[in-house]
Amino acid sequence: MMKITLILFLTITLISQGYSALASVSDAEIKSLSEMLYKLDHNRATTSELVIDPQTLISSSETGSRDDASSRPLFKQVSSTLLSKPTYKALLNLLDNYRRVTGEVEDVPSQEVQEQDTFLQQTMNTDVGRELYNFLHSKGIYSSQSEFIQDLKMMWFGLYSRSSGKLDSSGFEHIFAGEIKGGKVSGFHNWLQLYLNEKQGLLNYYSHSFNGPWTTYPDVLGMQFEWDGYFKEVGSAFIGSSPEFDLAIYSLCYITRPGKKCYVSLGGQTLGIQTYTWDNSSYGDGKKYIASAYPTTP
């Protein structure tokens, strides 16, 4: 009876998102697939390509103190070879497309639409992207890769309003690029964006309150930082992961556990991924845009 109830619950959840196929995805399958995505992330940074300096570890009770407890930048070295890989280049081309303050309408000219398409296609050209699609296809959620890519495009890049009724935000902007809302940093869960802004002198790394158990990349940090005058109390992100890995893990959890905590397994270590749905507007046949996704930290 418990198994039948779980299947019905997962089916209803998928239908509520617009995924009407009868597709039961178990917790064990999510962990198994995430382990495979972890192993297939051939474009992750090596310890010679990426060197970081986390410095001061603070307690969770200190995250709101706004004290700059680290005198040096977080990033010591990032290899240009790493940044020249196709999915990295495609992501970097997207990150400067956004107005970070909510309430300001996002214009999306044809060049930026092409950059979105390029990023998604490049991710699907990787083993990580193909593995995710093959799994979801086997579950009947998508009938073709083109359908999958189009849904990712709407899910991640479709615009909605976080402020004043203006089309000022998207899941991609919130998660990968970061936003300013209510006088503080909102979203901003991508290490490449952290690196770019720190390199440009726009981001001041303060400390970290969580450092994952991984000794190679990807790792996870929960960080405190100031972004051009705005504070982030706890910003969690994968560190050293490839762009396709971030997109795949967040998409896997959003599609199978929308608006919930999703447990993945990376190198034998369990990690929670929290996703949120955007409930104020939808696309297609009632599917919901992604509002946020990030690694959870204690």
Side-chain angles (χ1 to χ4, degrees):
M1 178 64 70
M2 184 177 293
K3 184 176 181 180
I4 294 173
T5 302
L6 177 61
I7 291 172
L8 287 172
F9 169 75
L10 291 171
T11 302
I12 291 169
T13 300
L14 287 166
I15 290 173
S16 72
Q17 278 290 289
Y19 303 107
S20 57
L22 179 59
S24 170
V25 179
S26 70
D27 292 345
E29 286 177 309
I30 291 174
K31 285 193 171 183
S32 177
L33 177 60
S34 56
E35 276 289 0
M36 181 57 68
L37 297 176
Y38 178 79
K39 292 174 183 176
L40 290 174
D41 190 15
H42 308 308
N43 288 329
R44 72 177 73 181
T46 65
T47 53
S48 62
E49 290 173 322
L50 173 61
V51 181
I52 62 172
D53 184 13
Q55 301 167 78
T56 303
L57 174 66
I58 65 172
S59 69
S60 58
S61 63
E62 299 175 286
T63 57
S65 64
R66 300 181 181 234
D67 292 332
D68 185 356
S70 300
S71 60
R72 299 180 300 277
L74 173 62
F75 294 94
K76 294 181 68 175
Q77 178 182 317
V78 180
S79 166
S80 59
T81 302
L82 182 68
L83 299 182
S84 67
K85 292 183 177 182
T87 53
Y88 285 77
K89 289 174 65 177
L91 176 59
L92 294 174
N93 285 338
L94 283 169
L95 289 176
D96 63 354
N97 289 347
Y98 297 97
R99 295 183 172 97
R100 65 186 182 182
V101 179
T102 59
E104 297 182 6
V105 174
E106 292 290 351
D107 295 322
V108 187
S110 58
Q111 179 182 343
E112 292 183 8
V113 173
Q114 181 58 54
E115 289 172 353
Q116 295 171 5
D117 293 338
T118 298
F119 174 66
L120 293 173
Q121 190 57 61
Q122 289 293 350
T123 64
M124 292 307 302
N125 290 342
T126 67
D127 288 342
V128 168
R130 285 188 288 264
E131 187 70 18
L132 176 61
Y133 166 69
N134 288 338
F135 174 80
L136 297 174
H137 175 68
S138 74
K139 291 293 181 178
I141 299 175
Y142 298 101
S143 60
S144 67
Q145 189 178 102
S146 60
E147 180 192 2
F148 179 46
I149 292 175
Q150 181 59 31
D151 195 41
L152 288 176
K153 185 174 181 179
M154 293 302 300
M155 181 191 306
W156 281 95
F157 294 101
L159 293 175
Y160 50 79
S161 175
R162 288 186 188 266
S163 178
S164 306
K166 299 177 180 178
L167 295 178
D168 60 351
S169 185
S170 68
F172 180 88
E173 178 183 5
H174 181 83
I175 297 163
F176 281 84
E179 298 178 300
I180 302 298
K181 183 177 181 181
K184 59 184 180 180
V185 178
S186 180
F188 204 132
H189 301 290
N190 181 256
W191 76 267
L192 281 167
Q193 179 74 325
L194 285 161
Y195 164 68
L196 287 178
N197 279 268
E198 187 176 70
K199 183 181 179 182
Q200 294 166 3
L202 297 175
L203 186 144
N204 183 14
Y205 170 75
Y206 280 10
S207 55
H208 66 287
S209 51
F210 176 81
N211 192 341
W214 298 274
T215 56
T216 58
Y217 299 120
D219 198 355
V220 174
L221 284 179
M223 297 160 284
Q224 294 70 51
F225 57 86
E226 183 184 79
W227 184 28
D228 203 18
Y230 299 95
F231 182 63
K232 181 73 172 180
E233 183 171 340
V234 182
S236 61
F238 288 110
I239 304 294
S241 54
S242 70
E244 61 265 30
F245 180 83
D246 282 23
L247 186 75
I249 288 291
Y250 292 149
S251 297
L252 167 65
C253 285
Y254 186 69
I255 292 168
T256 62
R257 299 291 186 272
K260 302 180 183 300
K261 187 178 287 189
C262 163
Y263 290 96
V264 300
S265 181
L266 309 176
Q269 301 285 346
T270 298
L271 175 70
I273 302 292
Q274 179 68 54
T275 70
Y276 290 96
T277 60
W278 184 255
D279 295 329
N280 297 330
S281 56
S282 60
Y283 67 95
D285 53 355
K287 292 182 179 180
K288 296 177 181 178
Y289 301 104
I290 185 167
S292 191
Y294 54 84
T296 60
T297 58

